[in-house]
Amino acid sequence: MTAESPPVVLVFGGADPTGGAGIVADCLTLASFGCHPTSVVTAVTAQDTTGIKQFACVDTALVIAQARAVLEDMPVAAFKTGMLGNRAIVGAVAAIVHEYPNIPLVVDPVQISGAGDVLTEESLDDALRTLLLPRATLVTPNSLEARKLAPGADTLDACAHALMEIGCDYVLVTGTHERTEHVLNRLYGHSRLLESFQTERLPREFHGSGCTLASACAAALAHGLDARAAVAEALRYTCNTLKASHRLGMGQHVPNRPYWSGGTFVRRKKNPKTADES
């Protein structure tokens, strides 16, 4: 990789035809951070902004082949996982990332969509706990996911500590599902609470906010930021994408990942004289 080349980030996730979540959301976020996104499709979904209609997981051999194609060709600077679909895919992804222990791994342990639809063929809690989370640099569960991944814990603090005990370096527990006036996001690492980030609670629901946050964390890590700085930057970015979101369909709002560009497109009008001359 030359000094001018952007950091390459490899994401594993599902294909969402709306572009609101999944691989497209990841790639838009990574590009917004100045990264080069590469992707391994783990599942193909039929969904819109109101929910999932159906999905099919990709054959495990093809998941592995996609990842190998990228990893044997490009210097990947970070991994990010989203929808994995079934235990076999979790195992395949875990085997791949374990071969690259020095590459940061961000795990978004998504099993249910923002609209409440199931995104897996079977519960993945055990597979995530035993195969993937011990390798994670950062895991980004919302409060509901944190409680599922650490069922023996009686508080969110205890959930985070349980996840660190199985091997996660850092745990970011997001508070969007808690009944609080503001959203409180807590970052844990080194067996303690490192920092709490309070953000405004917005009066709407979003399609792909978790994908955006986890991908932003991966992008910041790929640029060389430490975990605390990466999370702070990712939360700032994600909050801005939500504030600038659009209701593109009939359901949830879609985060505006390139909000910083103003969303403007300048049309170049042809010079009639030039057109005639050509």
Side-chain angles (χ1 to χ4, degrees):
M1 184 172 70
T2 66
E4 295 77 21
S5 299
V8 176
V9 179
L10 178 58
V11 295
F12 299 82
D16 171 7
T18 72
I23 289 288
V24 175
D26 294 333
C27 291
L28 286 170
T29 300
L30 293 169
S32 294
F33 268 78
C35 294
H36 177 78
T38 59
S39 60
V40 172
V41 177
T42 57
V44 177
T45 73
Q47 64 179 299
D48 57 24
T49 56
T50 67
I52 298 283
K53 312 307 177 187
Q54 66 183 92
F55 71 87
C57 292
V58 173
D59 182 77
T60 306
L62 184 53
V63 170
I64 295 171
Q66 291 177 79
R68 294 280 182 231
V70 175
L71 288 163
E72 293 173 7
D73 184 47
M74 296 181 178
V76 171
F79 294 119
K80 182 263 178 182
T81 68
M83 178 183 179
L84 297 179
N86 61 39
R87 293 173 190 168
I89 292 175
V90 173
V93 172
I96 290 165
V97 299
H98 274 286
E99 293 179 14
Y100 300 87
N102 296 322
I103 297 178
L105 167 65
V106 177
V107 176
D108 178 8
V110 58
Q111 297 188 56
I112 297 175
S113 74
D117 300 305
V118 175
L119 294 171
T120 62
E121 294 178 345
E122 57 204 329
S123 173
L124 302 184
D125 294 330
D126 289 339
L128 290 171
R129 275 192 296 265
T130 59
L131 299 176
L132 197 58
L133 294 184
R135 165 65 180 81
T137 306
L138 171 67
V139 59
T140 61
N142 60 42
S143 56
L144 303 180
E145 293 163 343
R147 292 185 178 101
K148 286 188 79 232
L149 290 169
D154 55 359
T155 66
L156 288 176
D157 282 342
C159 290
H161 283 279
L163 295 177
M164 287 187 285
E165 286 173 5
I166 66 174
C168 301
D169 293 335
Y170 298 92
V171 179
L172 174 63
V173 180
T174 60
T176 53
H177 292 277
E178 299 301 288
R179 295 181 179 179
T180 54
E181 181 180 357
H182 295 90
V183 176
L184 188 62
N185 307 293
R186 298 179 176 90
L187 176 64
Y188 300 81
H190 308 294
S191 300
R192 62 187 178 90
L193 174 65
L194 295 178
E195 191 163 350
S196 295
F197 303 88
Q198 181 175 289
T199 58
E200 178 184 356
R201 184 174 294 282
L202 300 175
R204 59 185 69 100
E205 295 183 343
F206 302 97
H207 182 56
S209 56
C211 305
T212 305
L213 176 59
S215 292
C217 289
L221 291 172
H223 277 293
L225 275 65
D226 62 39
R228 186 180 296 197
V231 166
E233 184 64 20
L235 284 168
R236 182 198 64 79
Y237 167 82
T238 302
C239 188
N240 284 334
T241 69
L242 301 184
K243 288 179 179 178
S245 66
H246 302 290
R247 191 169 187 241
L248 300 175
M250 293 183 290
Q252 296 174 318
H253 282 239
V254 174
N256 182 9
R257 281 102 189 178
Y259 71 89
W260 42 265
S261 72
T264 58
F265 177 74
V266 179
R267 292 182 180 273
R268 295 181 110 185
K269 294 182 179 180
K270 283 188 178 181
N271 183 322
K273 187 176 293 186
T274 304
D276 291 341
E277 290 172 356
S278 63

